[in-house]
Each structure stands twice: as C-alpha cells, then as structure tokens.
Amino acid sequence: MEKQEKWWKSAVVYQIYPRSFQDSNGDGIGDIPGIIKRLDYLADLGIDAIWLSPVCRSPQDDNGYDISDYQDIDPMFGNLDDMEHLISEAKKRNIRILMDLVLNHSSDEHRWFQEAKKSRDNPYHDYYVWRDGEEGVLPNDMGSVFGGTAWEWVPELKQYYFHQFSVKQPDLNWENPAVRREIYDMILWWMEKGAGGFRLDVIDQIAKDPDLKITNNGPRLHEFIQELSRETFQKGSLLTVGEAWGADIQRAKQYSNPDGSEFSMVFQFEHMMLDQEPGKEKWDFCPLPFVKLKQNLAKWQTALHGCGWNSLFWNNHDLPRIVSRWGNDKAYRQESAKMLASVLHGMQGTPFIYQGEELGMTNVRFPEIEQYQDIEIRNMYKERLAKGYSREAVMESIYAKGRDNARTPMQWDGSRNAGFTTGTPWMQVNPNYVEINAEKEMDSPDSIYHYYQKLIRLRKENPIFADGSFELLLEEDAHVFAYVRRNEEEELLVLANFTSETVECGLWKKWADSQVLIHNYAEAADGCGAAADRLRPYEAVMLLRKTGRPDSGR
Ligand code: GLC
Ligand code: CA
C-alpha cells in the first residue's frame, strides 16, 4: 500500500449516493457500472476521492445503512467484480474510493442476527444487545431515531433487542471482543481490495449503554476507536472520517489527533443544527441565526488549527440541499450556490461535495407523501399527524428538512428522467431538471460546476488553503461572512454576502491591489466592487496577497 503522509489534507472528496447517481440497466436504481461511466465527469471536476454511501448487501430498509453482508455487494448495485472494477478505474484517474462502514448496527437479516435470535446460548447471541423482560413491559423508555421505542420483543427468547435506528437495524454489541475482531477482519479485507479510506456511520454511538440510557459518547468510545484504528486503518494510508453528531471540540481533537490514533477527521454537525429550535427536533426549523453560524464555524477553525483536522461540508444524503436551505434557489441560485461554495472551500479542512451540489441542485416539493421514500420521513409523517400536527405543517417540515431532498436522482441532462435512467426511477426526479443539469452546467463557462472545478484547483495550487490560520472578521455583521487565512508568505481574504441585498463591506477597498483568485460576479459594475467597497446579492470573492518576504513580488 502506497504511503503518502496525510494526502487528504489537500484533497477534495465527492459523495455518491449510489441509488440516485446513475442507473446503467434501466431498473430505475443507480448502480456501480453507472458510477464507472461517470468517472470521467468526476475526474474533470478534479476530485481526489469518492465517498460511496453503502453498496453492501442489504434489505434496503434504510437504503443500505442496514447491511446483511459486509463482504458482498447488493445485487441492486452490481457485484464484487463491479466493485473491484470501480476501484481500479477510479485509481487510473487518481481517485480513491472510500467505503461507508456501518458498524453500530447490522441488518436483522445478517447471518449473525439470524443466529443470535435462535437461542440465548447461540455463539452469536452476544453479538447484539439484549435485555430480559416481559412482553409489553419495555426495559426502559429509550426511543429510536426513526420513531417509536428502541426495544423489540423476540418471543422465542423472551428478550428484547436494542435498536437505535429501525427495527431492522439491531445494534451490535461492541463490548464483545468477538464482534470487534469480526469487524476488523472485514475492514482489512476491504483494505486489501484497495479501498482508499472509510466513512464511519454514526460511530459515536457504538459504545452505547442502554441501562444508563447512553447512546453516543459512551465511556468506552475512544478506547474502541483507538483499537479499531490500530488494528486496521493504521496499516494503510487512508482517509477516515467518523460521523459524530455528538462531537464537541474536545472530542473532535481526539478523533482527529494528528498522531493518527483515531481517524483523519470527523463530521460534526453543530453548524447544521443552528436552524432548528433549540431542544426540539430537526423538523422544528427556524431561520438561520447567521452571526451564530459564523461564530460557530470560526470556533471550529481556530480550535482545531494545528492540533486536529476539520471536515468541511454543507450537504450530505441526510441533509437538505444547501442552496435551498441557506442560499436562494430562485432569483440568485447561481450566485448563492457559488457564494456558499466559496465560504466552505476557503476554510481549513477537507471539503466534501455531495452529488449535485456542484450543479446547484435544489430541494424538492412533492405534493404527496407517497412520493417520499425515506423511512424517517414516512415515520415522522405518521407520528406527527397522530399527535395532531396539521398536514400542511408536516409537509413544510419535510420540504425544509426531509432527507429525500438530497436523494432525488442526479440531474445529468434535459432528457427524460434527467438522463438518470431509461426506466422508472426509484424516486421521482426533481421537475427542475430541464433547467438544472450537468450537461448545461458543463456547456456554460460561468456555471456553478466550473466554479467548483476552479475552487478545487485553487486548493491544489495554493498551500494556504490547507495550512493557513483562520481569523473571522466583521464578526457581528448581519450580512457579510468575512475571514482571512494566513501563512508565512501570504494571506487570503474570503468575502461573502449571505443576503439578497447589496451591502456595504468595509474591507474590500483595503485589499484593492490583491489578486482575485475567484469571484462569482463578472467585472465590478459601477457602485460595486473594491472601489465602492460594496457586495452585491450573494457576491463572493477570494483575494490573495503576499505578506512574507519583502521582495516576494508584491
Ligand atoms: C447515519 C446515516 C443515515 C442512516 C443512519 C443509520 O446517520 O448517514 O443515512 O440512516 O446513520 O445508519
Ligand atoms: Ca440499476
């Protein structure tokens, strides 16, 4: 395995949600051969790695996050040969493939669970988390993330099993060393197949303790992760990223310790929860407190500088589309998508782009609940209606926060089904595909796609993106997101107007002689730009100047 220290510090990752990316055989479901066909598109974009949402064998209760065989590919997506082919074809284009490891739970159809529920003395019984009890008398009141109780009764055993997610996702028992060994061997097997890294699903929930009602951040969490890392990841040169909704700064430093004892980095979600009412559920959304967003991102940037590493993302398969969420997907779709990209890609960390983000794909508003596929949406819909919420209110929550916003098929071109499939797509395509699609984006030099391409290139050409420090400017400004990055030779200013108004900036003028790296508006019009020191709606610009040695060409 080739060793190259921390290659992921200057890398950009692209997330693929396989069932929605590209169908190759007309069954309406994206698949691995489809991804292979689109590798040239991704190489052209300039990305270094693909995070592939789960493609392992699965009954698809939670779209593959319920795995029944970790060492096989679901026939819906192809087979192991296809997977090996994908890894080698990607490698030819200098793209690594990151697999999604779902280790907190398996599917109830996994062989381990099938064995486990045969009897209490079955060797696999202790692979899962059981509690004695009586039918109808739950061990405690813990709930599942997808609604309802976290306990499921198995009459044959007279026991309950614990599931933090759906009934079909029983939690694995990490306290059992045999479970951990099985998992390590499976990971080593994927490393041998050439996986370039891993994304670890809800990894902060593996050390649960249901008796103490502990879900994430359990007492043995870091012990388990360090063992996992030692037994597997540290034998290669991998990008590893843990999904950790419960991460605070302290933990994130541990997770991304530069000594490599845990992961390369984590996904933490503090900034993604700012537009939800404190203490309530994600469906209870509120306007984004913009100043808090800036302060929050700045806090992570400065706290991890030099002693940890950030992942940078606005989107994934669980989150609504950023241009609809915090940009403007109507009059300023182009401008705001580029602005959001600038703010994100200017920071220190490894940027993750979610499929379609580079096209400015938007949220969707399907009129009927039947048009939604996500188990979380469907359960919430039923639950909230039963609790007395109005149908309108529930649909608005889905439109704002539902995971299917991110899961509609990739919009490749203006032909039927957006070029995603020749058959009937598993979920309807967003009707705006005629306007918003990859073909159009690639044809237009000023497109969002080309803007992302340039941002990726800039990160490769300018070390300051990876190594510069971070300072937030105009902290209390209600419109402008401004920060400066510095290393020994240069400084980089990112200026971004987060609103649909023209606003005073107060900084641009001072940087008038610097080099414009990227700008989401064409030439400055009268009354705008550096001279006027004003930013137009969603205007964003990145400026670079030399600071170091006096004769360094200022
Ligand atoms: C993670 C995944 C999500 C899944 C859940 C359970 O949050 O990103 O899609 O439903 O874990 O595996
Ligand atoms: Ca298919």
Side-chain angles (χ1 to χ4, degrees):
M1 218 160 305
E2 97 221 55
K3 275 261 179 196
Q4 188 199 333
E5 248 353 273
K6 316 237 159 127
W7 58 271
W8 37 266
K9 286 200 170 180
S10 58
V12 177
V13 184
Y14 186 93
Q15 183 191 352
I16 289 181
Y17 197 63
R19 59 164 53 226
S20 300
F21 193 62
Q22 176 69 67
D23 180 20
S24 72
N25 61 355
D27 68 355
I29 302 169
D31 45 49
I32 296 171
I35 298 172
I36 296 173
K37 275 197 201 153
R38 296 295 185 179
L39 281 175
D40 286 332
Y41 168 85
L42 298 174
D44 183 66
L45 184 58
I47 53 115
D48 305 275
I50 294 170
W51 152 26
L52 210 57
S53 277
V55 288
C56 289
R57 201 177 268 274
S58 159
Q60 305 289 326
D61 184 54
D62 184 20
N63 290 0
Y65 284 93
D66 47 319
I67 293 177
S68 55
D69 187 344
Y70 292 90
Q71 285 168 269
D72 200 4
I73 299 298
D74 197 280
M76 165 189 292
F77 297 125
N79 55 37
L80 271 175
D81 286 343
D82 294 325
M83 191 61 216
E84 283 175 6
H85 191 198
L86 171 62
I87 292 173
S88 66
E89 283 300 311
K91 190 164 183 213
K92 285 186 197 157
R93 295 163 177 83
N94 290 319
I95 296 174
R96 309 182 203 223
I97 303 289
L98 318 180
M99 304 292 290
D100 206 323
L101 289 174
V102 187
L103 307 179
N104 175 67
H105 45 267
S106 73
S107 162
D108 64 337
E109 296 180 35
H110 195 289
R111 184 176 53 86
W112 301 337
F113 192 75
Q114 295 297 315
E115 289 293 319
K117 64 175 194 190
K118 283 186 183 156
S119 80
R120 294 185 184 206
D121 337 304
N122 190 287
Y124 290 96
H125 182 262
D126 196 32
Y127 273 42
Y128 295 88
V129 181
W130 301 94
R131 291 294 178 268
D132 294 344
E134 272 171 53
E135 188 166 11
V137 186
L138 302 174
N140 61 29
D141 62 357
M142 287 181 80
S144 136
V145 173
F146 295 152
T149 167
W151 298 103
E152 180 71 8
W153 178 246
V154 177
E156 300 77 30
L157 298 182
K158 296 204 175 351
Q159 282 187 313
Y160 286 92
Y161 69 84
F162 182 61
H163 60 92
Q164 299 191 63
F165 294 89
S166 92
V167 187
K168 289 185 65 61
Q169 293 167 300
D171 269 63
L172 284 162
N173 177 17
W174 275 71
E175 300 290 332
N176 180 350
V179 170
R180 306 204 297 273
R181 192 65 251 166
E182 294 258 17
I183 287 173
Y184 305 154
D185 290 342
M186 175 274 286
I187 295 173
L188 290 169
W189 182 85
W190 275 114
M191 285 170 64
E192 240 160 64
K193 293 237 171 286
F198 300 96
R199 177 263 189 187
L200 294 106
D201 190 64
V202 291
I203 199 67
D204 62 351
Q205 296 181 214
I206 58 173
K208 55 245 158 187
D209 184 340
D211 299 325
L212 300 176
K213 300 198 189 178
I214 292 175
T215 54
N216 57 19
N217 301 337
R220 296 186 69 187
L221 177 61
H222 290 277
E223 176 198 332
F224 289 155
I225 292 176
Q226 283 162 19
E227 184 186 271
L228 161 70
S229 174
R230 208 166 45 238
E231 293 290 332
T232 60
F233 311 144
Q234 290 172 36
K235 301 180 197 288
S237 169
L238 305 177
L239 187 166
T240 51
V241 50
E243 183 197 25
W245 286 82
D248 56 13
I249 298 267
Q250 203 39 49
R251 279 187 194 275
K253 281 188 195 169
Q254 248 181 294
Y255 284 128
S256 65
N257 192 324
D259 71 5
S261 53
E262 299 196 4
F263 303 130
S264 316
M265 65 196 94
V266 282
F267 293 128
Q268 60 80 18
F269 293 86
E270 276 186 11
H271 62 302
M272 282 293 139
M273 296 192 274
L274 291 173
D275 61 357
Q276 113 187 16
E277 287 183 34
K280 294 207 178 163
E281 291 183 288
K282 76 174 197 182
W283 308 110
D284 305 302
F285 58 96
C286 63
L288 173 71
F290 174 60
V291 171
K292 279 205 182 134
L293 173 71
K294 294 195 288 186
Q295 289 166 344
N296 185 274
L297 291 172
K299 176 184 84 174
W300 282 90
Q301 284 289 298
T302 44
L304 264 55
H305 181 70
C307 57
W309 194 252
N310 276 299
S311 67
L312 307 171
F313 67 97
W314 293 131
N315 282 289
N316 67 33
H317 64 291
D318 296 327
L319 301 171
R321 296 279 180 182
I322 197 64
V323 68
S324 303
R325 187 178 187 178
W326 293 345
N328 177 321
D329 64 6
K330 305 275 168 351
Y332 296 109
R333 190 180 64 86
Q334 295 262 350
E335 292 81 356
S336 64
K338 293 174 186 171
M339 180 282 288
L340 288 158
S342 305
V343 169
L344 195 82
H345 286 246
M347 290 192 284
Q348 185 176 43
T350 300
F352 287 73
I353 300 168
Y354 179 70
Q355 66 183 44
E357 180 184 336
E358 78 283 14
L359 311 176
M361 275 177 63
T362 69
N363 282 351
V364 71
R365 293 173 73 93
F366 290 133
E368 304 301 332
I369 187 67
E370 290 72 29
Q371 292 169 283
Y372 287 92
Q373 307 292 334
D374 179 20
I375 179 172
E376 186 186 50
I377 292 181
R378 291 181 165 219
N379 289 354
M380 180 283 281
Y381 181 84
K382 276 186 244 141
E383 237 174 53
R384 288 214 160 181
L385 285 191
K387 282 186 188 154
Y389 286 75
S390 75
R391 185 181 179 279
E392 289 65 44
V394 173
M395 291 309 285
E396 284 308 321
S397 286
I398 295 173
Y399 297 152
K401 288 293 182 75
R403 304 196 296 183
D404 280 345
N405 282 307
R407 300 177 180 185
T408 59
M410 180 74 174
Q411 294 164 206
W412 292 107
D413 57 43
S415 71
R416 208 171 67 92
N417 295 323
F420 163 69
T421 180
T422 54
T424 307
W426 72 278
M427 178 158 61
Q428 273 164 271
V429 177
N430 190 318
N432 65 17
Y433 73 91
V434 186
E435 278 310 306
I436 304 173
N437 63 62
E439 193 178 66
K440 268 194 149 183
E441 288 282 314
M442 298 199 56
D443 284 348
S444 149
D446 294 329
S447 65
I448 302 169
Y449 174 89
H450 285 115
Y451 196 90
Y452 269 85
Q453 191 182 45
K454 189 164 178 190
L455 283 172
I456 296 170
R457 201 177 66 228
L458 287 171
R459 176 168 287 265
K460 302 265 130 72
E461 293 167 356
N462 299 279
I464 193 167
F465 282 90
D467 67 17
S469 64
F470 179 98
E471 187 191 347
L472 182 66
L473 305 173
L474 309 179
E475 186 170 334
E476 300 295 328
D477 191 294
H479 307 269
V480 180
F481 203 140
Y483 59 84
V484 62
R485 307 280 315 277
R486 294 192 182 91
N487 66 16
E488 277 167 15
E489 282 131 44
E490 301 174 310
E491 48 187 10
L492 169 74
L493 179 71
V494 177
L495 283 178
N497 178 1
F498 245 76
T499 73
S500 52
E501 295 149 46
T502 296
V503 296
E504 301 298 326
C505 169
L507 270 178
W508 201 346
K509 209 172 203 160
K510 298 182 194 145
W511 284 66
D513 333 313
S514 56
Q515 180 197 349
V516 177
L517 285 187
I518 191 165
H519 187 189
N520 68 347
Y521 272 75
E523 283 315 296
D526 279 353
C528 289
D533 216 353
R534 279 205 197 107
L535 290 163
R536 285 165 281 182
Y538 300 103
E539 185 161 7
V541 63
M542 279 190 189
L543 305 166
L544 185 72
R545 65 187 181 195
K546 300 274 172 214
T547 52
R549 290 158 253 128
D551 58 350
S552 59
R554 233 200 280 212

